[in-house]
Amino acid sequence: LAIGTIPVISSPAVIDTCFDKWAADSFLREHGLNSPQTFVTLEAVEKALVNQEVQFPLVVKPRWGTASTGIFYVHDAEELMLAYKWLHKSLERGMLASVSMQDKEHSVIIQEMLVGSEYGLDIVNDLQGSYVATFVKRKLAMRAGETDRAVTVEDERVEKLGYRLSRALGHIGNLDCDVFVTEKGCYILEMNPRFGGGYPFSHVAGADVPSALVAWAEGKEVADALLRVEPGVVSVQH
């Protein structure tokens, strides 16, 4: 800031909430937003299974994770136990070791596996954290945790979800967000307060968030065309 550079980054509180999947689950529920049922201990999920509050298959993943690293899909109690123990052990090494060791006993979460259509959202706020737009893409193919093929769509339900999340979170710039649309409603799966791997799909369809950020930084009015996407545009990443 002292040399005239504006860092496009959210507050530490926003970043911590998004990076910590257990904290994210609590945040979403506090604001009346749907999140997959999430458990941070083996005992809690085993009790929920007995009470038929959740059922297999389940997803076992790092509490602090990225790019689908260390995700297991388990279909019975034995697989659950093995995946949970293995992931706890493996997190003691590798790139997630330092962050996972801040709460070693609760470094793994278990979530219900959602069934439905998966969408990627770019939720755009301005440099003051005020809501501007939501771009919605339906995912058609995935590879190594990243969207490989997608189509831009107009979906009022998902766009409203983007607005509500923006108002609750108050992030700066772009929020990359994964949403599952199921028979029971829309569920927020991931929040990343940055440009995600799926942003190029919005850009190809007409959006230009980088130019909008530059305009805001210069105190200029942003053209509406920079914050719109054309629906029905199918793109593939190579």
Side-chain angles (χ1 to χ4, degrees):
L1 289 173
I3 62 172
T5 301
I6 298 176
V8 183
I9 188 167
S10 295
S11 70
V14 169
I15 293 171
D16 288 345
T17 295
C18 293
F19 189 41
D20 181 345
K21 293 179 176 61
W22 180 240
D25 176 71
S26 299
F27 171 86
L28 292 170
R29 294 181 186 280
E30 286 171 5
H31 289 86
L33 298 165
N34 292 333
S35 174
Q37 288 193 74
T38 303
F39 307 89
V40 76
T41 66
L42 197 58
E43 293 75 17
V45 73
E46 288 174 338
K47 181 179 179 181
L49 285 165
V50 170
N51 293 334
Q52 298 184 337
E53 297 168 356
V54 70
Q55 61 186 11
F56 290 107
L58 297 169
V59 184
V60 182
K61 62 173 70 171
R63 175 176 170 181
W64 297 274
T66 182
S68 296
T69 301
I71 292 183
F72 294 89
Y73 299 93
V74 298
H75 297 80
D76 57 41
E78 183 180 16
E79 288 184 0
L80 172 62
M81 177 69 74
L82 290 171
Y84 185 81
K85 288 186 174 181
W86 169 253
L87 190 51
H88 259 292
K89 190 70 176 177
S90 64
L91 286 174
E92 296 176 5
R93 305 178 297 274
M95 67 176 185
L96 297 175
S98 60
V99 67
S100 296
M101 291 307 103
Q102 64 182 297
D103 190 355
K104 180 179 178 181
E105 296 303 313
H106 304 106
S107 59
V108 173
I109 62 169
I110 305 102
Q111 291 183 319
E112 66 173 321
M113 190 167 79
L114 300 173
V115 178
S117 299
E118 187 172 2
Y119 292 78
L121 277 59
D122 291 304
I123 305 173
V124 185
N125 282 2
D126 63 20
L127 296 177
Q128 283 70 50
S130 297
Y131 177 77
V132 176
T134 298
F135 311 136
V136 183
K137 298 145 290 184
R138 183 164 54 86
K139 300 185 180 185
L140 303 176
M142 299 287 292
R143 178 174 53 182
E146 295 290 342
T147 306
D148 199 42
R149 187 167 179 263
V151 57
T152 53
V153 299
E154 289 182 336
D155 191 314
E156 187 176 353
R157 296 170 303 167
V158 182
E159 290 173 12
K160 285 183 177 179
L161 186 65
Y163 171 76
R164 291 180 61 197
L165 181 54
S166 162
R167 294 293 300 271
L169 193 61
H171 62 281
I172 301 297
N174 197 66
L175 179 78
D176 174 65
C177 182
D178 290 337
V179 171
F180 260 91
V181 176
T182 75
E183 293 180 350
K184 296 180 180 180
C186 301
Y187 289 77
I188 297 171
L189 190 64
E190 296 277 351
M191 301 183 292
N192 300 297
R194 55 175 170 77
F195 283 100
Y199 172 73
F201 296 109
S202 297
H203 202 88
V204 168
D208 192 346
V209 177
S211 291
L213 290 169
V214 171
W216 285 323
E218 294 177 340
K220 297 179 180 178
E221 187 174 344
V222 175
D224 291 341
L226 298 181
L227 299 169
R228 287 201 300 259
V229 297
E230 180 183 347
V233 177
V234 179
S235 304
V236 178
Q237 297 204 74
H238 297 284

